[in-house]
């Protein structure tokens, strides 16, 4: 069977920071509340950039140094500035990737994993050897900065992955997707009138995420035949540090096995897993043979998990 690997990861973060101290001046909150409840200290805000600008920069970062011309582009986003042109078309145009299939995919915070899964299966069944997946989110456009329960959570950013069957060394072993659609209205954003700004049933989503992450870790381990003692890292969607601590405790997994960078960027929706992956890769955290479990969850209520062998 064809093997598909992760050849490269890219990232882009806007320069402007919004710190907890800044938020203390805007709403009735404290650095202490935000830090202890979420682990977030600051986030990035795209002031003069569009969502597609962020995704384009991440894609450029991902492709830099590679003389490759992807044969497919999928852009995960819930926050593009237009419905048309859809984001993948804008990004493809700017990168000069003309004539290839390009489309957007919205699966909220699980969108990067969903996009990976679609790219992976198109590569498996077709003659596509290289695919670019971007995840660009400008959450700040949909955040009500008077709502202290949500505005403290989000930041803007983008990540991108390059998948290749010519270079399968960081092989994607398995991907699992799902949606508990009974929770479809637990996270709402971008609708008419009062449904425009982000809002969520926070506690319900928290419970769902902790339980689902635990189940997905077990399920991935089983599917790939993980054996006790083998090294693995979890790269979860960065929604709340307390969630990762809960999963670590429930499953008896050291917190050091979780790649966490939420303190710097907050929740960047579908971009967050790629941002964590980029940072960990640059720090040489992974050794040959390690397993990486990428785990997304969020609106839908969706989930997506991928196992990669380093
Ligand atoms: O990526 C999308 C998926 N989303 C998630 O994964 C989010 C999951 N949920 C969460 O992460 C948590 O539920 C939140 C961080 C959103 C909220 O934490 P919580 O521990 O569930 O807090 P809460 O909503 O129960 O609020 C506790 C208290 C309330 O006050 P009372 O009613 O106890 O007096 C809130 O009004 O904290 C208050 N509060 C705040 N206080 C200071 C809420 N937001 C703030 C704030 N600053 N920013």
């Amino acid at each position: 069977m064809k093997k598909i690997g992760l050849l490269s990861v890219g990232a882009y973060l806007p320069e402007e920071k919004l710190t907890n101290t800044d938020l203390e001046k805007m709403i009735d909150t404290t650095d202490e509340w935000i830090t202890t409840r979420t682990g977030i200290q600051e986030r990035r805000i795209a002031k003069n950039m569009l969502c597609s600008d962020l995704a384009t920069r991440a894609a450029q970062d991902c492709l830099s140094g590679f003389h490759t011309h992807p044969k497919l582009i999928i852009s995960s986003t819930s926050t593009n500035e237009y419905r048309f042109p859809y984001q993948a078309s804008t990004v493809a145009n700017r990168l000069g990737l003309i004539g290839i299939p390009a489309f957007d995919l919205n699966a909220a915070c699980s969108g990067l994993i969903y996009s990976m899964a679609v790219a992976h299966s198109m590569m498996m069944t077709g003659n596509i050897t290289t695919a670019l997946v971007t995840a660009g989110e400008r959450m700040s456009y949909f955040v009500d900065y008077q709502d202290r329960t949500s505005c403290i959570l989000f930041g803007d950013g983008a990540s991108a992955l390059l998948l290749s069957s010519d270079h399968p060394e960081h092989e994607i072993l398995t991907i699992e997707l799902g949606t508990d659609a009974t929770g479809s209205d637990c996270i709402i954003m971008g609708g008419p009138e009062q449904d425009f700004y982000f809002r969520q049933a926070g506690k319900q989503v928290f419970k769902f995420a902790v339980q689902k992450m635990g189940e997905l870790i077990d399920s991935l381990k089983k599917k790939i035949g993980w054996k006790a003692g083998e090294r693995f890292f979890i790269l979860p969607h960065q929604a709340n540090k307390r969630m990762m601590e809960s999963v670590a405790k429930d499953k008896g997994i050291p917190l050091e096995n979780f790649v966490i960078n939420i303190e710097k960027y907050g929740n960047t929706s579908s971009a967050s897993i790629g941002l964590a992956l980029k940072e960990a890769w640059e720090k040489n955290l992974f050794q040959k043979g390690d397993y990486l479990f990428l785990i997304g969850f969020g609106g839908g209520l969706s989930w997506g998990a991928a196992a990669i062998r380093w």
Side-chain angles (χ1 to χ4, degrees):
M1 206 162 67
K2 203 164 161 183
K3 288 184 175 185
I4 293 165
L6 179 67
L7 182 56
S8 168
V9 59
Y12 180 75
L13 289 150
E15 274 172 29
E16 178 145 342
K17 291 178 185 173
L18 180 66
T19 65
N20 290 353
T21 317
D22 296 330
L23 285 165
E24 282 178 343
K25 295 177 199 136
M26 295 160 60
I27 44 164
D28 179 16
T29 194
T30 58
D31 171 43
E32 203 253 332
W33 191 96
I34 303 172
T35 308
T36 53
R37 291 289 178 140
T38 71
I40 304 167
Q41 289 164 14
E42 59 187 42
R43 341 83 199 105
R44 300 298 178 90
I45 304 293
K47 274 275 162 66
N48 300 310
M49 293 179 88
L50 299 173
C51 189
S52 59
D53 297 330
L54 307 178
T56 304
R57 299 278 191 104
Q60 284 164 336
D61 182 44
C62 185
L63 293 174
S64 75
F66 294 94
H67 301 286
T68 180
H69 189 100
K71 300 288 187 295
L72 165 71
I73 170 165
I74 305 177
S75 290
S76 157
T77 187
S78 316
T79 54
N80 197 41
E81 63 276 12
Y82 294 107
R83 294 194 178 226
F84 321 136
Y86 57 88
Q87 189 166 95
S89 161
T90 306
V91 173
N93 188 22
R94 292 187 186 157
L95 297 178
L97 300 173
I98 311 303
I100 60 171
F103 57 93
D104 286 4
L105 190 153
N106 176 359
C109 303
S110 311
L112 181 78
I113 309 295
Y114 266 76
S115 301
M116 263 178 86
V118 175
H120 187 267
S121 66
M122 287 176 74
M123 293 171 81
M124 276 293 186
T125 53
N127 57 3
I128 296 168
T129 51
T130 318
L132 179 67
V133 169
T134 68
E137 304 285 7
R138 190 173 171 229
M139 293 299 290
S140 60
Y141 186 70
F142 291 94
V143 166
D144 176 0
Y145 284 96
Q146 291 180 345
D147 173 14
R148 69 174 184 170
T149 66
S150 62
C151 74
I152 53 139
L153 298 171
F154 295 100
D156 301 334
S159 56
L161 310 178
L162 187 60
L163 309 187
S164 166
S165 54
D166 296 331
H167 299 272
E169 43 271 17
H170 301 143
E171 191 188 349
I172 299 166
L173 302 173
T174 185
I175 307 184
E176 187 173 333
L177 306 174
T179 305
D180 176 4
T182 60
S184 67
D185 56 2
C186 283
I187 305 180
I188 293 179
M189 189 179 86
E193 293 159 16
Q194 76 277 10
D195 286 339
F196 181 79
Y197 289 120
F198 177 95
R199 65 197 159 80
Q200 68 178 341
K203 282 205 189 304
Q204 202 178 327
V205 177
F206 190 99
K207 253 177 95 178
F208 154 78
V210 169
Q211 188 184 333
K212 190 48 72 182
M213 255 195 283
E215 286 171 12
L216 289 166
I217 293 166
D218 291 345
S219 163
L220 289 178
K221 279 181 170 172
K222 204 167 157 197
K223 280 187 181 155
I224 61 170
W226 177 84
K227 293 180 211 67
E230 289 186 305
R231 276 169 47 110
F232 67 97
F233 289 93
I234 297 156
L235 293 102
H237 167 46
Q238 310 282 310
N240 189 327
K241 191 174 177 198
R242 275 194 299 133
M243 280 177 188
M244 309 175 203
E245 290 166 347
S246 292
V247 177
K249 194 161 161 249
D250 288 355
K251 294 282 155 196
I253 299 169
L255 197 58
E256 300 79 72
N257 290 36
F258 289 72
V259 177
I260 303 174
N261 65 0
I262 192 172
E263 67 283 357
K264 288 183 288 190
Y265 310 124
N267 180 340
T268 55
S269 190
S270 74
S272 83
I273 295 174
L275 290 173
L277 179 60
K278 168 91 182 177
E279 210 169 287
W281 196 339
E282 279 184 344
K283 284 183 189 156
N284 290 319
L285 185 65
F286 313 128
Q287 297 169 8
K288 193 170 163 48
D290 287 352
Y291 290 107
L292 273 54
F293 301 152
L294 280 51
I295 300 186
F297 53 83
L301 293 170
S302 61
W303 64 85
I308 295 174
R309 181 114 210 224
W310 212 249

